[in-house]
Amino acid sequence: MAEVKLFGNWGSPFSCRIEIALKLKGVEYEFIEEDVYNDNKSPLLLKYNPVHKKIPVLLHNGKPICESVVILEYIDETWEGPSILPKDPYERAMARFWTKFLEEKCFPPMKQASWSTGEEQEKAKEEATELLKILEGTLSGKKFFGGDSIGMVDIVANFIAHWFIILQEITGLELLTHEKFPKLGQWLDDYLSCSIIKETLPPKDKLTASFQARIQAATTSK
Amino acid sequence: MAEELKLFRTWSSPFALRVVHALKIKGLEYETIFEDLSSKSASLLQYNPVNKKVPVLVHNGKAICESLVILEYIDETWKQCPLLPRDPYEKAKARFWAKFGDEKLFSSIGNVLISQGKEQEEAIAAAVQNLKLIEEQLQEKKFFGGETIGYLDIAFGWTANLISILEEIMDLKLVDEEKFPVLSAWMHNFSDDPVIKQCWPPRDKLVVKFQAMRESHLKTVLSQ
């Protein structure tokens, strides 16, 4: 019998990506909570991901797969069900390109804008705004980045839909608003109303409290 | 319909070279457009407006950017001489190590080039550790892909060429044949493959380029 385990953390946008993908495919799995934020990683995690020592790790019939985007592609290739990546090679290339764009270009300044202050924050805000404009452009004529239904880019953009929006609310940052980015704003609404997304995202209040605690700890340690 | 394939590249980009390798292995005809990155062509900016980089592959007017994305596109579009393994788990491993190569190994080798003294010693230690992981992945295979060159060989291809150039410039040894018997053998096998061999950029030009890069970096550090 197929055995699927996922090493993750309740608050991690990365392991959440994998949970969404597994649920989309209707795959039953065991979730193993790793206390990564307190650097309290289990021996099993270190065994299955000796190179990076990070979550998420998917264990399928005893074989570990690491790196969330690699895992997403593995899930799409292994199980039947709604496609995470398109079938057409050019569309697949676009999905992979925009995934890389999100991870390597968008997320770092968005995080920086959320956690920094002063000039550093202003610079990050400017950079993030330019990148969000590019992202807004890709949604032209589409409900989701994946088209009519959510795909890999939408799943990876999880961070924007939930974590970043919460950080915005806490910090008072107004980088991504419906007024400034109507298409992204609509995408947020549509994405967050998907039942699989709603049931998989970590609870907003728990995440808010966790972010607030981190901000407190950062300010008191200065 | 005749396929129209264009590759935007520079003479030295190791990432663009990956695409050259893949196209040649697949036996595909294509047009090369050499770019001067200090003065990018209107075409390049049109085809890669987001990153404005090479390589860009244009297939029947559609542009694909990012070398590893292009490799997968080539493999999925032309089925002869498969580059990626068929098995999803083996494919996942190949993708994982290609990512490791780009995110960890490349910068760790680069750090050796742009540092000196104690900083360089630390950079060498980090690079060697990463190279050991690659050595372990090869096990006793001729290529990462098995008997023939595949996706991961192409992804790591830059090591077979650039590491020895950096070793020459800095008069040090990163991939010692005794410490890295498998990786050393792979570098020879990959470099000497008839398809790969014809693609290497001129070595003397690369030596000059990286020498200049090193000197410029060290000068910047000194002036800080």
Side-chain angles (χ1 to χ4, degrees):
Chain A
M1 188 184 107
E3 189 196 57
V4 183
K5 294 188 191 187
L6 174 63
F7 291 80
N9 179 275
W10 72 269
S12 160
F14 301 99
S15 57
C16 185
R17 293 172 183 182
I18 310 308
E19 291 202 86
I20 292 170
L22 290 169
K23 286 187 179 164
L24 272 172
K25 296 284 193 183
V27 177
E28 301 225 346
Y29 62 96
E30 182 192 342
F31 188 85
I32 296 151
E33 179 80 20
E34 285 284 332
D35 189 14
V36 289
Y37 297 113
N38 294 318
D39 210 14
N40 192 21
K41 297 167 186 178
S42 74
L44 272 183
L45 176 64
L46 301 177
K47 170 187 167 186
Y48 289 128
N49 192 357
V51 175
H52 300 300
K53 305 173 177 51
K54 284 183 177 176
I55 51 135
V57 176
L58 185 77
L59 200 66
H60 184 206
N61 293 333
K63 291 179 178 173
I65 302 104
C66 310
E67 293 294 291
S68 62
V69 177
V70 175
I71 300 172
L72 289 177
E73 295 232 29
Y74 176 82
I75 290 171
D76 204 34
E77 287 159 9
T78 304
W79 286 284
E80 298 290 321
S83 293
I84 293 169
L85 276 135
K87 297 285 180 222
D88 171 71
Y90 177 70
E91 295 304 325
R92 289 164 77 82
M94 290 300 102
R96 288 172 180 139
F97 175 85
W98 289 112
T99 296
K100 232 176 178 273
F101 174 79
L102 279 170
E103 294 213 299
E104 292 174 12
K105 295 266 156 32
C106 277
F107 295 161
M110 289 176 83
K111 284 180 187 161
Q112 182 84 311
S114 307
W115 293 105
S116 64
T117 52
E119 211 186 298
E120 214 181 294
Q121 188 184 42
E122 284 312 307
K123 220 174 144 218
K125 276 165 73 177
E126 268 177 45
E127 204 185 326
T129 301
E130 288 312 302
L131 296 163
L132 285 171
K133 282 183 188 160
I134 295 175
L135 217 52
E136 172 92 352
T138 68
L139 277 170
S140 276
K142 290 196 294 193
K143 185 177 183 187
F144 297 110
F145 293 103
D148 292 328
S149 50
I150 63 174
M152 185 161 80
V153 183
D154 301 277
I155 294 173
V156 168
N158 221 12
F159 167 75
I160 298 178
H162 195 54
W163 282 260
F164 182 71
I165 295 299
I166 292 171
L167 279 168
Q168 275 205 147
E169 284 175 16
I170 296 172
T171 58
L173 206 62
E174 279 182 356
L175 216 55
L176 172 51
T177 63
H178 280 71
E179 292 74 40
K180 288 184 191 168
F181 299 100
K183 295 199 186 89
L184 275 171
Q186 186 60 52
W187 170 80
L188 279 174
D189 295 341
D190 291 332
Y191 186 70
L192 294 173
S193 60
C194 293
S195 54
I196 283 182
I197 303 303
K198 272 198 287 203
E199 73 185 54
T200 314
L201 289 176
K204 186 172 168 177
D205 50 0
K206 205 175 165 191
L207 209 52
T208 304
S210 148
F211 281 146
Q212 276 167 339
R214 271 166 75 180
I215 292 170
Q216 271 275 52
T219 13
T220 47
S221 69
K222 276 188 194 151
Chain B
M1 182 184 111
E3 302 267 34
E4 190 204 47
L5 262 180
K6 290 189 213 198
L7 173 62
F8 288 79
R9 61 172 290 200
T10 58
W11 70 270
S12 62
S13 162
F15 303 106
L17 207 52
R18 288 172 170 170
V19 183
V20 173
H21 290 160
L23 292 170
K24 292 246 188 265
I25 287 171
K26 295 276 187 181
L28 298 167
E29 303 241 333
Y30 63 99
E31 183 195 339
T32 299
I33 294 120
F34 282 100
E35 285 285 329
D36 171 4
L37 295 182
S38 63
S39 172
K40 295 171 188 178
S41 72
S43 293
L44 178 65
L45 299 176
Q46 174 205 339
Y47 286 127
N48 192 357
V50 176
N51 295 332
K52 306 176 177 51
K53 283 182 181 178
V54 295
V56 179
L57 184 73
V58 182
H59 181 209
N60 294 335
K62 288 180 173 171
I64 303 103
C65 310
E66 294 296 307
S67 60
L68 293 181
V69 175
I70 299 172
L71 289 187
E72 296 229 29
Y73 175 81
I74 290 172
D75 207 34
E76 286 167 6
T77 305
W78 293 278
K79 304 292 187 188
Q80 68 274 28
C81 308
L83 299 175
L84 274 146
R86 289 193 88 94
D87 173 67
Y89 180 66
E90 294 303 319
K91 228 190 256 197
K93 279 205 297 188
R95 287 174 177 142
F96 173 89
W97 286 107
K99 218 171 185 277
F100 175 84
D102 280 7
E103 290 174 7
K104 296 273 184 294
L105 183 65
F106 193 80
S107 55
S108 69
I109 302 288
N111 286 342
V112 176
L113 177 69
I114 60 171
S115 60
Q116 60 187 348
K118 187 157 187 292
E119 217 182 275
Q120 192 185 51
E121 279 172 29
E122 287 168 3
I124 290 171
V128 164
Q129 210 165 331
N130 287 335
L131 287 164
K132 281 204 178 118
L133 291 173
I134 309 302
E135 168 100 355
E136 278 166 31
Q137 282 313 297
L138 265 167
Q139 296 160 343
E140 297 303 318
K141 294 184 289 188
K142 185 177 184 193
F143 295 113
F144 291 98
E147 281 305 304
T148 53
I149 288 173
Y151 166 88
L152 194 52
D153 301 279
I154 296 174
F156 280 133
W158 61 271
T159 62
N161 184 230
L162 293 184
I163 289 183
S164 69
I165 289 174
L166 301 196
E167 287 173 342
E168 184 184 312
I169 290 170
M170 295 179 291
D171 194 24
L172 51 77
K173 202 82 181 132
L174 274 174
V175 180
D176 188 288
E177 266 191 42
E178 270 183 42
K179 295 196 182 119
F180 295 98
V182 189
L183 189 58
S184 298
W186 172 81
M187 285 180 175
H188 286 303
N189 288 328
F190 183 81
S191 288
D192 291 345
D193 177 274
V195 172
I196 303 297
K197 205 170 183 171
Q198 55 177 282
C199 306
W200 293 126
R203 192 185 168 87
D204 49 357
K205 253 183 114 177
L206 283 172
V207 169
V208 169
K209 180 191 162 96
F210 286 111
Q211 181 78 37
M213 204 182 276
R214 176 172 167 77
E215 276 160 25
S216 150
H217 263 277
L218 294 179
K219 215 181 270 177
T220 324
V221 169
L222 276 174
S223 66
Q224 276 165 356

